[in-house]
Amino acid sequence: MNAHEIDYEIFGEEMQYVELELDPQEAVIAEAGNFMMMDNGIKMDTIFGDGSKQNEGFLGKVLGAGKRLLTGESLFMTVFTNEISGKKKISFASPYPGKVIPLDLNEFGGKFICQKDAFLCAAKGVAIGVEFSRRLGRGFFGGEGFIMQKLEGDGMAFVHSGGTTAKKVLQPGEKLKVDTGCIIGFTKDVNYDIEFIGGIKNSLFGGEGLFYATLTGPGTVFVQSLPFSRLAGRILAAAPQGGGKDKGEGSILGGLGNMVSGDNRF
């Protein structure tokens, strides 16, 4: 199934959203919870799977949708279709601070592999599936386990990242070492593996985990500066513990420093 051709524009700096322009009968698919706003005349439907396997029968649809459960996603997706004449616009927003990355799958050989929670939306006809790792070490220590998400087709897809995005184009044999949580995604020819950091002091006291992700070219890699897991960990670490007292962040005086600065909670 050829993907619908859609125009788009990305707005914002650190809290971005993407606005898609749909011609009559054009449609876009999205995960639940990413919708922001849309013009009147666009119809929303919940479908089984991603709608890309219309000709494979019921069993094919079940198998395709069932794989999505392995990534922690729902069996169902949402499709938004412009059912009236004239162009209509619909917007989808990132679920946390970061960037929206447009991907023309034609430019990446029809396939892009990404973290299992990175997908935002795509033109109808793009297939959203799972990518299994055949490497035991990567499965146990790679952060994303054996399973990542894959986007296949010939249309536009959009993924989101945390913080600032870095795009690296790797030459054949060129290797990039990345924190496992900082990977957004990569093209199909990139070899993804893990590598032990090495050294007792590094392992015990380095604070960076025991393994790097290694990405070897040729291909394109997208890296994020602030994975959501890291952001959530910092928030949990700074949250009031037990009795509701915070950590007095920002002053060596702790709670006394808060009182001086105007925070007089007891």
Side-chain angles (χ1 to χ4, degrees):
M1 177 180 179
N2 294 329
H4 293 189
E5 296 182 7
I6 54 177
D7 298 317
Y8 71 93
E9 186 174 358
I10 295 174
F11 294 89
E13 295 296 332
E14 302 305 327
M15 293 289 291
Q16 292 189 330
Y17 71 92
V18 58
E19 180 182 81
L20 309 177
E21 185 177 78
L22 303 181
D23 292 331
Q25 301 308 311
E26 281 188 343
V28 61
I29 57 173
E31 297 282 7
N34 294 333
F35 168 72
M36 180 180 171
M37 61 182 175
M38 64 182 177
D39 291 340
N40 186 41
I42 296 178
K43 180 182 179 182
M44 181 182 76
D45 284 310
T46 300
I47 61 173
F48 197 60
D50 56 23
S52 64
K53 297 178 172 60
Q54 299 295 323
N55 299 321
E56 293 191 6
F58 179 75
L59 183 58
K61 295 179 182 178
V62 170
L63 292 175
K67 291 179 181 179
R68 288 172 41 78
L69 291 177
L70 298 174
T71 66
E73 304 293 350
S74 168
L75 285 171
F76 300 90
M77 297 190 75
T78 308
V79 58
F80 299 85
T81 307
N82 179 10
E83 293 198 329
I84 63 176
S85 61
K87 297 178 182 292
K88 296 296 178 180
K89 294 181 178 180
I90 183 169
S91 300
F92 299 90
S94 295
Y96 47 84
K99 301 294 184 182
V100 175
I101 305 171
L103 301 170
D104 185 346
L105 296 180
N106 278 320
E107 296 181 0
F108 298 128
K111 181 178 179 180
F112 187 82
I113 301 166
C114 60
Q115 284 194 8
K116 58 188 178 183
D117 61 349
F119 174 70
L120 186 66
C121 60
K124 188 177 181 183
V126 171
I128 296 92
V130 295
E131 180 79 2
F132 292 96
S133 172
R134 294 180 177 85
R135 297 179 182 271
L136 186 62
R138 173 182 157 188
F140 282 116
F141 307 112
E144 290 299 321
F146 287 96
I147 303 167
M148 296 186 78
Q149 213 166 36
K150 63 180 177 181
L151 310 176
E152 294 181 296
D154 57 1
M156 290 296 303
F158 301 86
V159 298
H160 61 84
S161 65
T164 301
T165 299
K167 179 181 179 181
K168 301 291 185 180
V169 179
L170 303 180
Q171 300 303 313
E174 183 180 359
K175 181 183 290 187
L176 182 69
K177 296 181 180 180
V178 184
D179 179 275
T180 55
C182 288
I183 299 172
I184 303 168
F186 45 87
T187 53
K188 63 180 182 179
D189 292 326
V190 171
N191 180 48
Y192 172 36
D193 206 346
I194 58 137
E195 181 178 311
F196 181 58
I197 289 177
I200 295 177
K201 287 191 295 183
N202 289 336
S203 300
L204 295 179
F205 308 113
E208 298 296 340
L210 299 179
F211 298 91
Y212 297 118
T214 61
L215 302 160
T216 306
T220 302
V221 177
F222 291 87
V223 181
Q224 59 188 344
S225 66
L226 184 61
F228 180 70
S229 58
R230 184 179 297 177
L231 174 63
R234 294 296 177 90
I235 293 173
L236 288 174
Q241 306 294 320
K245 299 294 185 180
D246 63 26
K247 298 174 63 174
E249 184 175 350
S251 171
I252 61 173
L253 300 177
L256 180 59
N258 288 338
M259 292 179 63
V260 172
S261 67
D263 186 351
N264 297 317
R265 293 171 296 173
F266 295 97

